[in-house]
Amino acid sequence: MTHTITWTDDLSVGIEEIDEQHKVLVRLLNELNDAIHEHHGNEACLAILDRLVDYTRIHFAVEESLMRIFEYPDYENHKAEHEELVEEVLELRREIVDKERKISFKLLHFLKMWLTQHIMSSDQEYSQHFLNQGMKARAGKTAWFKRLWH
């Protein structure tokens, strides 16, 4: 099965924990893509979409916490982007359920474009800020944990 997104270093923000969370989002999008291609039906696709939304909320909370800790100057705009995405996806989900529409590749394309563009633009900006503030990735561990607790 062809993946809708293939993880490449272009998607890396240079912070291992965030990259690992982004990889989970990519895997969930690819799982949704496979379910649509294999005609698993709306119920199965909605279950994957719900997992994607739940994980996205967790991921956004982590990013937003780090933005507050590292005093990211564009925090409010970035948080608004997160809220807008979640609301758009939930609205699309409501349409699918209320109007009994099939989950389509249009939704998948929207999610793919949003995720890749968001990671490659907005997330790269906060990443650079975090790294400039002293968040250094080291051999599989990131120093921000130490900064939080010391």
Side-chain angles (χ1 to χ4, degrees):
M1 185 67 54
T2 304
H3 292 304
T4 192
I5 300 178
T6 301
W7 182 265
T8 66
D9 287 342
D10 291 340
L11 292 173
S12 174
V13 297
I15 300 166
E16 185 176 338
E17 286 82 1
I18 301 297
D19 284 346
E20 289 305 314
Q21 290 182 4
H22 285 161
K23 288 176 185 177
V24 171
L25 294 171
V26 166
R27 278 195 300 274
L28 286 166
L29 270 178
N30 287 328
E31 189 177 330
L32 182 58
N33 178 64
D34 292 349
I36 292 169
H37 269 289
E38 296 167 6
H39 307 289
H40 288 189
N42 258 17
E43 192 173 312
C45 291
L46 283 171
I48 298 167
L49 182 62
D50 289 344
R51 287 182 19 235
L52 178 63
V53 169
D54 290 345
Y55 193 84
T56 298
R57 285 180 165 146
I58 292 165
H59 169 66
F60 286 170
V62 170
E63 283 187 349
E64 291 165 15
S65 293
L66 290 171
M67 287 178 202
R68 287 190 304 275
I69 290 165
F70 287 98
E71 299 173 350
Y72 181 56
D74 202 32
Y75 167 76
E76 291 298 330
N77 287 331
H78 201 105
K79 183 174 175 20
E81 281 183 37
H82 287 168
E83 291 168 354
E84 184 179 318
L85 170 71
V86 170
E87 190 50 46
E88 285 182 59
V89 173
L90 291 175
E91 180 58 34
L92 290 168
R93 188 194 189 287
R94 281 189 288 275
E95 280 185 29
I96 290 164
V97 172
D98 295 346
K99 297 178 181 175
E100 298 181 7
R101 293 187 174 154
K102 286 190 168 192
I103 289 187
S104 69
F105 290 105
K106 179 180 173 185
L107 170 62
L108 197 62
H109 180 73
F110 165 77
L111 292 170
K112 173 187 175 180
M113 295 310 295
W114 192 93
L115 179 65
T116 55
Q117 289 172 1
H118 185 74
I119 290 172
M120 294 176 84
S121 61
S122 300
D123 285 0
Q124 292 295 340
E125 291 171 15
Y126 79 62
S127 168
Q128 195 55 54
H129 177 80
F130 292 174
L131 294 170
N132 289 342
Q133 294 295 314
M135 176 189 251
K136 301 294 184 199
R138 292 190 207 151
K141 296 190 179 176
T142 305
W144 64 270
F145 279 115
K146 290 182 182 177
R147 183 170 170 179
L148 284 176
W149 305 114
H150 291 83

